[in-house]
């Protein structure tokens, strides 16, 4: 999903000018980022949740040289899909496979 995709959906749904829809999409993305920064989590019912997870410091290998490299601790944002999204995605996948078999 991209900002342009969100803008296009807003333009079609709300019949507003593209410039205003682009601004609205940017504001939605900024609000989601702010919520994740403040609480470490953002949930959309029937879609899923974005959750901040801490990553520990570790040692990795450089694939070219095989040399050990220290990797600092950090954080990453993970997405966990809701059960209804998983069901819908699975149904869509099965439908696509059936369609591919027909062709």
């Amino acid at each position: 999903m991209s900002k342009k995709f969100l803008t296009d959906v807003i333009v079609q749904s709300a019949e507003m000018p593209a410039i205003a829809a682009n601004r609205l999409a940017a504001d939605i993305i900024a609000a989601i980022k702010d919520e994740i920064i403040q609480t470490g989590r953002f949930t959309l019912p029937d879609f899923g949740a974005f959750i901040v997870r801490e990553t520990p410091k570790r040692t990795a290998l450089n694939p070219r040289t095989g040399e050990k490299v220290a990797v600092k601790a950090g954080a990453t944002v993970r997405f966990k899909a809701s059960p209804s999204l998983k069901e819908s995605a699975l149904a869509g996948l099965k439908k696509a496979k059936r369609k591919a078999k027909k062709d």
Side-chain angles (χ1 to χ4, degrees):
M1 182 182 301
S2 65
K3 184 176 161 186
K4 181 178 179 347
F5 174 79
L6 285 175
T7 301
D8 293 343
V9 169
I10 293 168
V11 166
Q12 291 173 358
S13 178
E15 298 178 5
M16 68 171 50
I19 294 172
N22 189 27
R23 214 173 311 128
L24 179 59
D27 290 345
I28 291 170
I29 292 168
I32 292 170
K33 281 183 183 179
D34 289 343
E35 184 68 17
I36 290 172
I37 290 168
Q38 289 177 6
T39 65
R41 181 180 188 95
F42 178 78
T43 303
L44 282 171
D46 293 332
F47 185 70
F50 295 91
I51 305 162
V52 177
R53 300 277 182 186
E54 291 185 30
T55 56
K57 71 178 185 176
R58 61 187 170 89
T59 303
L61 291 177
N62 181 331
R64 285 193 179 164
T65 63
E67 173 185 349
K68 290 186 177 184
V69 180
V71 178
K72 296 187 282 186
T76 186
V77 178
R78 305 245 174 137
F79 177 74
K80 183 177 179 188
S82 71
S84 62
L85 178 61
K86 288 180 185 180
E87 288 175 17
S88 298
L90 181 60
L93 183 64
K94 287 180 180 179
K95 185 177 180 181
K97 284 184 180 180
R98 283 193 306 265
K99 187 175 181 182
K101 277 188 175 180
K102 286 183 180 180
D103 294 336

